[in-house]
Every structure is written in C-alpha cells, then in structure tokens.
Amino acid sequence: MQSTLPNVHIEQYEGPYDLLVELAKKEQIRLSEISLQSLTDSFLTYIKEREIDPEIMGSFLVVASTLLLIKVRQMVPSLAHEEEEEISDLHHRLALYEKFRAVSEILAARWNTKPLLPAHHFAEGEFQEPGSEAFMPNISSELLHDALQNLIGRIPPPPKPSAHLTRRGRSIKELFAMFQDRLDRVKKLIFQETVHGSSRQDQAVSFLAVLEMARNNSVRLEQEEAFSTLTVHKI
Amino acid sequence: MTSLTQHIEALLFTAGEAVSISDLAQLLSAPEQDVQAALGELAQHLEGHALALVTTATHAQLVTSGSVAEFLAQFAGQDGKELSRAAMETLSVIAYRGPISRYDIDAIRGVDSRRMIRQLLLRGLLHQTRTAAHASLYDISEDALMQLGITNKKELPQFEALSKSEHIDQLLNSSK
C-alpha cells in the first residue's frame, strides 16, 4: 500500500514529536490539544507502514497511545476528564520541542559556515600530507629491494596459452524453448537430470531460463532444501 | 591585564588547543574562581582583536575571532563535516540546556538519543562529565561553539529564554 504521506520529503522522522510537527505542517494546522486528535490517523498509518528502528519504536508507541486516548475522549464525552494531565502534558512537550527544533534549524544554517579556527588549523593539513616523515619510517634502499623481490616472488606464473577456442554456449532463448518443449510433453522434470552432461555455462543459462519461466508463471519450482533436487512443474 | 591573565593567555597560546580550567588552576596554583575571573578579563582584552577566547563551563581555548571568520573561511575550504538533522537537534538541546542528562535530552526530544550522543561525543562536539552519584551530564564543547562561530553558548539565539525557563524545568521534573 502506498503511503498516505506523499508530500513529505523527509526520509525518516527522528522521533514521534518530529513526526507530529511535520504532519501538522503538512495539514496546515497549529498544534493544540484539540488539533492533535486530527493527526491520530496519519500518525498511526505512518508507524504501521514504515520500518521504525526498534530502539526508538517505544517512543512512537507512547505518543500513539496518548493520541488514541484523545480520540476516545472525543467519542465518549463522559470520559472527558480522564487522563487530562497526560494529554496536556503531550501538548506542552510538543510546544517545547518545537522551540528547540526551530533553534536547531538556525544553528544548522550557521554550522561550519564561518567557523572560529584553532591555532595550527592550516598547518595541520600540511603535516598530514602523505610523504611527510611520519609516513616514511626508516626506509632504506635495501628494504625496498627486498620488498620488491618478495612481491615478485608472490606473483603467480602466467597461465599457459590455451590452444582451443571456447565453444559458444547455447542462448537463453534456445534453452528456454528446449525446456518449454520438454515440459509440454512430460509436465514435470528434474532440473539436474535435464542439464546433466551439458557444459557448465549451459547449466547456468538453463537455470536462468527456468527462473525466467517461473517469473512468467509458466512453471512452478520445488526444492526441498538448498542444493537438493530441483523439480520444475508445468503450470 | 593582571599577571595571572597574562600567564593564562601565554599557556593557552602555547597549548594551541582547549585547556581545562582545572588544569589551568593547577598549573598556575590559583583557585578556579580566580582563573574564571582572569578568563573573563582576557576575553574582554581580546575584543577587537583577530583572536578570541572560546569558553565552556570547563574549558578555554584561544581561537580566531568572528570578525575574521569570513576572511579565513576562503582558505579553509569545506571539509564536509555536516551534521544530520537529528544530531543537530540533539546538539541544540545540549547547547541550551547543558549540563544535561540523557534522560532530560530524551524528554525534550521525545525519543531515545543515545546514538546521537555517541556520534556527537565521537566528533568531539560534547563534553561528558561522569559523576559517581548521578548519570553522565553532557555539555557543548569548544569545537562545537567554534563551528557555530561563537565564543560562548550565551551567544546562541534565544539563549536566556530556552536555558533558564521555569516552564521547561517544571516539564522536565514532571517526567521524573
């Protein structure tokens, strides 16, 4: 199911308050104790549909329960005085959160634009250049010679040139047709038996052909466990 | 400038990095209170200079001042040290409310902030104070203030309103 929040471009909400503030913005309402309940459905939809980090899921649920409580109160007016505190508490917390969120946006815009710099700020960069002394501990020409010898010794000998050309394998189209043809006759076959004796490349392409057929819903694949017999059923 | 102030300036200059106020007090055999006062004098003395004093509750550092920040920025290049929105939000809460416990940070943000705090600590943007009896307390570091281009957190926008609000204190206390 597609999300009901198509216009929100933030990839992940940082927490339940963050989500509520964004929802309110989107629906162009001011957050108040009354308006909160109109956000309940969108809030619940969001937490149902997204994968929320389990580490922070709990905090989403706490807020969800308060939102539900507000909704229940509206539907059952006799409960109007129940849990009043919890609801106004959420409202106050959201108001406070919004203040910090606002200054955090100001600070984000300022971040790293005109930093105050410490002593050696520029010199540090120079010292970290590779090739400075720290990166060249006691290098001698003997050491380099030995290292090179060692490296050459580890290079594997080149493979003998092969005298024959590789046979061109059969195309996926050919193998697809071959499987279709056989299945028309036998209705079911064992993959391993069918490809037995053909080249490794043909076996691999056959497998792709069978996968393609399964994707088309023209066959059903059955395998008890990994690497065991693969049965191809015609549908 | 008193000689204590001069000595502090000399130590901070030669250190080239943040020095804790308790270290300064020890090096100078002076009470921390006097060091704090001398730091105030030094900050005042530096006004109008290209150097400034960044101070947090626990540390002090000599840095280039805001008046030359734009001039220097052209040589500094962008080092891509961006902060995620959640990290900046967490840092803001700590900047205004620090020293603050994780519990209170979570209460304001409405969500578990452990991972954000870890990230900020790793990047040197926070100071952590561990006390035997209480949970760790977090406060903004000189590095973070410098990135924001300010020498003290009191220069943050709406600092008074957000740092010393009875309303906030009440709200935080009510969740305990």
Side-chain angles (χ1 to χ4, degrees):
Chain A
M1 193 170 86
Q2 257 305 303
S3 152
T4 52
L5 313 168
N7 297 325
V8 181
H9 295 297
I10 292 157
E11 66 288 2
Q12 186 77 50
Y13 294 100
E14 309 301 351
Y17 295 175
D18 187 30
L19 174 56
L20 278 178
V21 170
E22 281 300 324
L23 288 175
K25 240 195 233 171
K26 191 181 140 258
E27 300 190 10
Q28 299 188 328
I29 53 174
R30 277 174 58 87
L31 282 173
S32 70
E33 287 171 44
I34 299 142
S35 69
L36 269 177
Q37 68 97 16
S38 67
L39 300 176
T40 310
D41 292 338
S42 328
F43 187 91
L44 293 178
T45 310
Y46 178 85
I47 63 173
K48 242 186 278 170
E49 286 179 4
R50 307 295 166 97
E51 269 188 32
I52 294 176
D53 185 345
E55 225 177 289
I56 58 172
M57 188 60 185
S59 52
F60 278 91
L61 293 178
V62 170
V63 172
S65 74
T66 311
L67 289 175
L68 284 172
L69 193 68
I70 300 175
K71 209 162 185 184
V72 167
R73 254 180 24 151
Q74 304 253 321
M75 288 189 284
V76 189
S78 59
L79 291 176
H81 295 294
E82 298 281 316
E83 315 288 349
E84 192 113 7
E85 210 173 295
E86 198 178 329
I87 293 161
S88 87
D89 190 56
L90 175 63
H91 173 233
H92 284 128
R93 278 172 193 282
L94 278 171
L96 177 63
Y97 170 75
E98 272 189 300
K99 281 185 194 154
F100 280 102
R101 198 174 187 274
V103 289
S104 127
E105 274 164 19
I106 299 173
L107 298 191
R110 234 183 232 197
W111 188 254
N112 208 11
T113 52
K114 290 180 201 165
L116 309 183
L117 301 178
H120 312 305
H121 177 79
F122 295 111
E124 256 174 32
E126 287 165 21
F127 288 138
Q128 280 163 10
E129 286 280 322
S132 67
E133 293 226 348
F135 287 85
M136 306 281 270
N138 305 324
I139 299 285
S140 67
S141 55
E142 283 85 353
L143 209 64
L144 283 175
H145 176 260
D146 290 352
L148 191 60
Q149 282 290 341
N150 188 340
L151 185 65
I152 292 170
R154 283 179 5 224
I155 298 173
K160 294 213 175 82
S162 62
H164 56 85
L165 294 169
T166 345
R167 193 179 68 86
R168 192 185 77 83
R170 299 162 79 182
S171 73
I172 192 161
K173 215 165 154 187
E174 280 171 62
L175 288 161
F176 193 96
M178 187 273 278
F179 269 97
Q180 222 158 21
D181 188 38
R182 280 204 200 178
L183 282 166
D184 279 338
R185 283 179 281 131
V186 297
K187 305 296 177 213
K188 120 176 160 176
L189 52 80
I190 308 287
F191 179 77
Q192 282 88 341
E193 286 174 16
T194 317
V195 301
H196 186 75
S198 50
S199 73
R200 221 178 157 69
Q201 192 188 341
D202 280 358
Q203 290 190 9
V205 178
S206 299
F207 186 60
L208 287 177
V210 168
L211 285 180
E212 179 63 19
M213 293 171 91
R215 202 174 66 91
N216 290 343
N217 281 326
S218 53
V219 299
R220 181 169 56 82
L221 301 178
E222 198 177 69
Q223 189 174 34
E224 292 284 335
E225 56 184 88
F227 305 115
S228 71
T229 315
L230 178 67
T231 314
V232 186
H233 297 270
K234 185 173 172 20
I235 298 177
Chain B
M1 266 205 304
T2 63
S3 68
L4 180 63
T5 308
Q6 281 193 8
H7 292 163
I8 288 176
E9 186 177 24
L11 284 173
L12 290 177
F13 175 76
T14 48
E17 56 184 21
V19 181
S20 79
I21 288 161
S22 59
D23 280 354
L24 286 175
Q26 204 177 358
L27 290 166
L28 297 161
S29 315
E32 285 194 18
Q33 228 176 330
D34 293 2
V35 172
Q36 292 277 16
L39 284 171
E41 194 192 351
L42 179 57
Q44 236 171 20
H45 178 78
L46 287 172
E47 269 173 34
H49 285 241
L51 296 186
L53 184 70
V54 167
T55 47
T56 59
T58 51
H59 289 72
Q61 180 171 4
L62 271 183
V63 297
T64 58
S65 75
S67 58
V68 291
E70 197 162 351
F71 164 73
L72 285 174
Q74 58 182 318
F75 306 111
Q78 278 298 323
D79 45 10
K81 285 181 188 162
E82 291 302 310
L83 275 189
S84 71
R85 213 162 57 85
M88 185 54 88
E89 194 180 284
T90 311
L91 182 63
S92 303
V93 169
I94 294 170
Y96 285 86
R97 303 294 304 177
I100 182 173
S101 68
R102 182 175 75 80
Y103 188 87
D104 284 348
I105 299 169
D106 289 357
I108 292 175
R109 295 188 64 228
V111 70
D112 190 312
S113 304
R114 253 175 296 189
R115 202 185 315 158
M116 290 304 133
I117 294 172
R118 234 179 356 248
Q119 249 182 50
L120 294 169
L121 275 173
L122 276 174
R123 289 181 53 171
L125 301 175
L126 301 183
H127 284 307
Q128 179 176 24
T129 329
R130 290 197 179 85
T131 52
H134 302 283
S136 280
L137 296 176
Y138 302 94
D139 209 345
I140 191 166
S141 76
E142 314 72 46
D143 271 3
L145 292 177
M146 286 156 66
Q147 294 285 347
L148 290 168
I150 56 178
T151 57
N152 194 292
K153 63 182 182 180
K154 288 180 187 138
E155 295 166 35
L156 289 167
Q158 300 173 51
F159 182 75
E160 288 295 313
L162 287 173
S163 66
K164 294 189 185 95
S165 153
E166 261 180 52
H167 172 66
I168 300 177
D169 296 340
Q170 264 173 16
L171 207 59
L172 291 178
N173 280 325
S174 75
S175 52
K176 278 174 190 162

